[in-house]
C-alpha cells in the first residue's frame, strides 16, 4: 500500500509540475502572439496612413529643395508678391505671397491690368553675405505621416514631439511699402539662377523685434527674429 501511495503521490507531483510548465508556456505563447499581433497591426496602420495620403504641406522660402525627414518636394519655383512701393496711384493689391512653379501652364488671354504678380528679391545682406538683390526661390514640400505643419516665429527649434522641417529668419516687406505676410526664409538661402539684379519689384527685409507692447524680456529690442517650420 505504501508503494502504491508513493507512486500516486509522485505522479500527482509530476502532474502538478507539468501543469505549471504548460501554463507558463501557454502564457509565454500568448504574450509573444500578442506582441507579434500588436507589431503587425501598428505596421498595417502606418501603411494604411501612407496609402490614405496622411501628410501636411508647407512652403520652404529661400530654397528650391526640401530637407525634412520623410519629406518630398511637390514642386520648386519662384517667390512672388505685390509691387513694393506705395503711391497715390498704387495703394494696394494682394498682401500674401505666392510660390509660383517653375513649369507654369500659361494662358494666352490678356488680364485686367489691375492685379499683378512680381518676382521677389532679397533686400540687403542680412539673409546671407551675398543675398542683396538676388531673386528668391521657393519649394512646396510634403511631409509624410503628419497632419499639421506650422511656422513658429521667435524660435529656431521645434517644441517636443514636433519634427523640424527647416529653420531660418523671419522676413516681410518694409513698413512703408505695400503689405506682405511674415514668412520664414531658410537660414541658408540659395538664389534663382541669373536673378542677381535690382529690379525693385517685391522686396524682402529681415524682421526685427520692437519692445513696448511686446514684452522685453523675454524678447529683445532691434534683433533679428528666428523662425522654424515644424510638422506633426
Amino acid at each position: 500500500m505504501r508503494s502504491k501511495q508513493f507512486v500516486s503521490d509522485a505522479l500527482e507531483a509530476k502532474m502538478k509540475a507539468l501543469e505549471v510548465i504548460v501554463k507558463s508556456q501557454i502564457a509565454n505563447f500568448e504574450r509573444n502572439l500578442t506582441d507579434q499581433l500588436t507589431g503587425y497591426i501598428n505596421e498595417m496602420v502606418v501603411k494604411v496612413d501612407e496609402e490614405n495620403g496622411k501628410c501636411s504641406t508647407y512652403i520652404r522660402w529661400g530654397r528650391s529643395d526640401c530637407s525634412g525627414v520623410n519629406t518630398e518636394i511637390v514642386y520648386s519655383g519662384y517667390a512672388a508678391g505685390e509691387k513694393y512701393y506705395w503711391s497715390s496711384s498704387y495703394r494696394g493689391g494682394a498682401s500674401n505671397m505666392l510660390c509660383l512653379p517653375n513649369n507654369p501652364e500659361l494662358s494666352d488671354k490678356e488680364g485686367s491690368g489691375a492685379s499683378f504678380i512680381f518676382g521677389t528679391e532679397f533686400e540687403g545682406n542680412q539673409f546671407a553675405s551675398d543675398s542683396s538683390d538676388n531673386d528668391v526661390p521657393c519649394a512646396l514640400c510634403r511631409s509624410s505621416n503628419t497632419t499639421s505643419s506650422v511656422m513658429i516665429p521667435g524660435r529656431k527649434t521645434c517644441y517636443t514631439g514636433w519634427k523640424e522641417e527647416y529653420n531660418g529668419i523671419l522676413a516681410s516687406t518694409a513698413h512703408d511699402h505695400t503689405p506682405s505676410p511674415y514668412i520664414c526664409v531658410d537660414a541658408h538661402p540659395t538664389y534663382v539662377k541669373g536673378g542677381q539684379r535690382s529690379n525693385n519689384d517685391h522686396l524682402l527685409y529681415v524682421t526685427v523685434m520692437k519692445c513696448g507692447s511686446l514684452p522685453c524680456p523675454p524678447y529683445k529690442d532691434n534683433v533679428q527674429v528666428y523662425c522654424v517650420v515644424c510638422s506633426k
Side-chain angles (χ1 to χ4, degrees):
M1 291 295 294
R2 289 182 179 179
S3 296
K4 289 183 178 181
Q5 185 64 41
F6 175 80
V7 172
S8 177
D9 291 342
L11 287 173
E12 183 178 356
K14 187 66 173 177
M15 290 297 293
K16 288 182 178 179
L18 288 172
E19 183 179 359
V20 170
I21 293 172
V22 169
K23 285 183 177 180
S24 176
Q25 290 177 341
I26 291 174
N28 288 335
F29 175 79
E30 291 177 342
R31 186 162 49 250
N32 291 335
L33 181 60
T34 300
D35 290 342
Q36 291 176 8
L37 287 174
T38 300
Y40 175 76
I41 291 171
N42 289 337
E43 290 177 1
M44 291 303 296
V45 167
V46 171
K47 289 181 179 179
V48 169
D49 285 340
E50 291 176 347
E51 291 175 358
N52 289 338
K54 180 182 176 183
C55 65
S56 59
T57 59
Y58 63 90
I59 294 175
R60 188 183 188 191
W61 300 103
R63 299 281 300 203
S64 56
D65 58 342
C66 302
S67 63
V69 177
N70 294 327
T71 301
E72 64 179 1
I73 187 168
V74 180
Y75 70 83
S76 61
Y78 315 106
E82 185 56 87
K83 187 76 172 180
Y84 84 93
Y85 63 74
W86 184 280
S87 69
S88 59
S89 60
Y90 208 102
R91 292 176 290 186
S95 60
N96 64 315
M97 287 182 61
L98 300 174
C99 182
L100 297 175
N102 58 15
N103 56 344
E105 297 174 337
L106 302 177
S107 169
D108 58 359
K109 296 180 181 180
E110 292 187 2
S112 65
S115 177
F116 303 95
I117 298 175
F118 294 91
T120 302
E121 64 184 52
F122 292 120
E123 193 70 4
N125 288 321
Q126 287 79 26
F127 296 97
S129 61
D130 59 347
S131 60
S132 186
D133 297 330
N134 270 289
D135 294 342
V136 183
C138 58
L140 177 61
C141 304
R142 179 181 184 271
S143 176
S144 300
N145 299 322
T146 60
T147 56
S148 300
S149 290
V150 296
M151 188 272 281
I152 304 176
R155 289 184 63 88
K156 59 181 179 179
T157 59
C158 297
Y159 289 105
T160 301
W162 288 78
K163 178 184 71 166
E164 180 178 319
E165 301 291 351
Y166 76 95
N167 66 77
I169 302 173
L170 202 68
S172 73
T173 55
H175 64 85
D176 57 346
H177 293 177
T178 50
S180 81
Y182 292 109
I183 65 169
C184 188
V185 173
D186 194 275
H188 304 286
T190 57
Y191 314 122
V192 174
K193 186 177 181 180
Q196 190 177 17
R197 59 187 179 278
S198 182
N199 291 316
N200 282 338
D201 288 329
H202 182 254
L203 306 179
L204 279 182
Y205 295 79
V206 168
T207 301
V208 299
M209 304 282 187
K210 290 303 296 179
C211 295
S213 294
L214 186 67
C216 298
Y219 294 98
K220 186 178 180 181
D221 205 34
N222 293 322
V223 297
Q224 294 183 2
V225 185
Y226 288 131
C227 56
V228 62
V229 173
C230 307
S231 297
K232 184 176 182 179

